[in-house]
Amino acid sequence: RNNGNETSVQRYNVLMMFTKVDKSQNLQDKFRVAMLSMVKYAQFLEGEVLVLHFVSDPVSKVLGEKMLQEFFKNVTFKYEVLFHDVDTFTHRLFPIVEALQKHFSAGSWSYFSDAIFFLSVAMHRILPQNLTRIVQLDIDLKYRTNIRDLFQEFDRFPPGAVLGIVREMQPVYRHTFWQYRKENPQTRVGDPPPEGLPGFNSGVMLLDLGAMRASALYNQLLDTTNVTKLADKYSIRGHLGDQDFFTMISMEHPELFYSLACGWNRQLCTWWRDHGYRDVFDLYYRCDGPIYIYHGNCNSPIPDD
Ligand code: UDP
Ligand code: MN
């Protein structure tokens, strides 16, 4: 007898890049901190499932499965773990993101394997249609709250928004957009918050895959001619992959983005403070309000509390 319960199962999908982890004790340590803190605070209701997607290579997968068994051994909520092969994803991504790579990859040549750094940009074309929302997370994070709460932010997207993301907390785009800022002295591009447009950080991203598929505007922006047009307008050559692309299109089309509170991705890297931007650094770095997720980016230590 089918009582229909299957249809009421609600899945909370999260995705993490998980490659070359076997080769790095540092990454393994970060993964431990991330998963143990996630498990510590995670709570889900009856009929809800946390689905963890990992984009991984075969050797990292074996290690990841073993580590996850240990981290999740005492959890009381339902969860599923899915590993996706990084090479398969890369092959499917490359034709979609090749144009982006030319502008936003390090060096002058676009390497085939770098396509994966643009996964979030074209995820709506890679994952199955029945997946309509997913949260992409770095592994150098430490959770201080229930991961389920992050999904409530999807319901606060304004119409037309495709991505929820936190602003960048260093003056990196003040640097990247240096030439455009020089030629347009009145611009807010690259200025600090709250009035300025400091760009985004890709450590925590809410991808409304349904909205990404439905948005004619968003998909047009992926076309080669449009990418070239905007990259020329803003005179930018980035190296961070997806976050450079999202930052650039947000300068032109802010309505595509829902700005998450800074506490959802409290970045800790201070590299730019000591590399020419000491005078303005704190204007970018400050984040008032509760911290839900720490991000130990550029190998920054994460506080113990
Ligand atoms: N990553 C990975 N293997 C690597 C390096 C990075 O899987 O060898 C993934 C991992 O999920 C990581 C993300 O890529 O969190 C982004 O890298 P990282 O967090 O080190 O960059 P940062 O936040 O410091 O800019
Ligand atoms: Mn990171």
Side-chain angles (χ1 to χ4, degrees):
R1 192 163 66 108
N2 180 2
N3 61 14
N5 274 352
E6 273 305 304
T7 56
S8 65
V9 169
Q10 198 182 346
R11 291 188 153 73
Y12 291 79
N13 293 284
V14 304
L15 179 145
M16 284 166 255
M17 288 301 305
F18 194 78
T19 58
K20 299 175 197 155
V21 181
D22 58 302
K23 296 181 177 66
S24 166
Q25 184 63 47
N26 189 240
L27 270 180
Q28 291 168 38
D29 294 343
K30 287 173 178 174
F31 187 52
R32 177 176 299 272
V33 168
M35 288 300 110
L36 289 179
S37 59
M38 183 189 279
V39 163
K40 178 175 175 184
Y41 296 102
Q43 279 190 296
F44 290 89
L45 306 177
E46 191 78 30
E48 294 180 343
V49 184
L50 175 64
V51 185
L52 300 144
H53 300 256
F54 294 96
V55 179
S56 194
D57 54 76
V59 186
S60 298
K61 179 187 171 187
V62 171
L63 180 64
E65 282 172 331
K66 197 179 85 185
M67 294 178 83
L68 287 164
Q69 265 177 32
E70 177 200 335
F71 303 153
F72 279 74
K73 63 172 184 266
N74 292 321
V75 305
T76 52
F77 56 85
K78 286 207 191 73
Y79 73 96
E80 292 168 9
V81 179
L82 289 169
F83 280 86
H84 305 275
D85 182 58
V86 65
D87 290 341
T88 308
F89 270 28
T90 302
H91 273 91
R92 295 168 61 194
L93 272 169
F94 185 72
I96 312 173
V97 302
E98 194 180 356
L100 276 63
Q101 283 190 64
K102 296 222 168 79
H103 290 282
F104 303 112
S105 289
S108 53
W109 188 249
S110 61
Y111 291 101
F112 181 75
S113 59
D114 287 351
I116 201 67
F117 295 125
F118 297 91
L119 173 61
S120 59
V121 168
M123 188 117 60
H124 61 304
R125 301 204 192 155
I126 301 295
L127 293 178
Q129 296 284 321
N130 65 351
L131 266 181
T132 55
R133 287 174 169 182
I134 199 163
V135 174
Q136 185 171 344
L137 300 161
D138 271 8
I139 58 176
D140 54 344
L141 304 179
K142 185 172 180 181
Y143 300 86
R144 305 180 82 217
T145 194
N146 186 356
I147 184 74
R148 187 183 184 276
D149 295 346
L150 182 55
F151 285 83
Q152 310 305 304
E153 297 290 323
F154 275 116
D155 300 325
R156 302 168 74 169
F157 277 36
V162 301
L163 184 78
I165 192 165
V166 176
R167 65 176 174 80
E168 169 63 44
M169 288 177 195
Q170 294 192 267
V172 37
Y173 291 109
R174 190 185 185 93
H175 184 80
T176 305
F177 288 93
W178 177 84
Q179 191 175 336
Y180 181 81
R181 289 168 55 78
K182 194 179 65 165
E183 288 160 9
N184 300 271
Q186 306 302 317
T187 190
R188 290 155 63 222
V189 169
D191 270 352
E195 278 81 33
L197 303 168
F200 297 130
N201 180 274
S202 60
V204 173
M205 294 184 287
L206 274 57
L207 300 154
D208 188 328
L209 301 174
M212 288 167 81
R213 291 176 191 124
S215 171
L217 172 61
Y218 181 73
N219 289 287
Q220 271 163 30
L221 290 168
L222 291 174
D223 289 347
T224 312
T225 48
N226 288 306
V227 172
T228 307
K229 203 167 76 188
L230 285 189
D232 287 349
K233 170 172 175 181
Y234 290 106
S235 318
I236 72 163
R237 285 210 134 284
H239 64 283
L240 299 173
D242 54 359
Q243 85 170 47
D244 285 345
F245 176 70
F246 289 139
T247 294
M248 183 184 76
I249 65 172
S250 75
M251 300 306 172
E252 205 74 8
H253 300 287
E255 69 276 13
L256 290 171
F257 300 88
Y258 170 60
S259 196
L260 292 171
C262 62
W264 282 112
N265 176 7
R266 201 307 172 227
Q267 302 130 237
L268 296 166
C269 182
T270 59
W271 193 86
W272 288 95
R273 178 157 62 197
D274 309 319
H275 294 84
Y277 291 90
R278 184 171 299 276
D279 53 337
V280 294
F281 187 83
D282 285 333
L283 297 172
Y284 293 83
Y285 194 69
R286 76 176 285 178
C287 168
D288 300 324
I291 294 170
Y292 308 115
I293 301 178
Y294 276 122
H295 184 184
N297 57 150
C298 79
N299 286 314
S300 305
I302 299 180
D304 270 330
D305 66 311

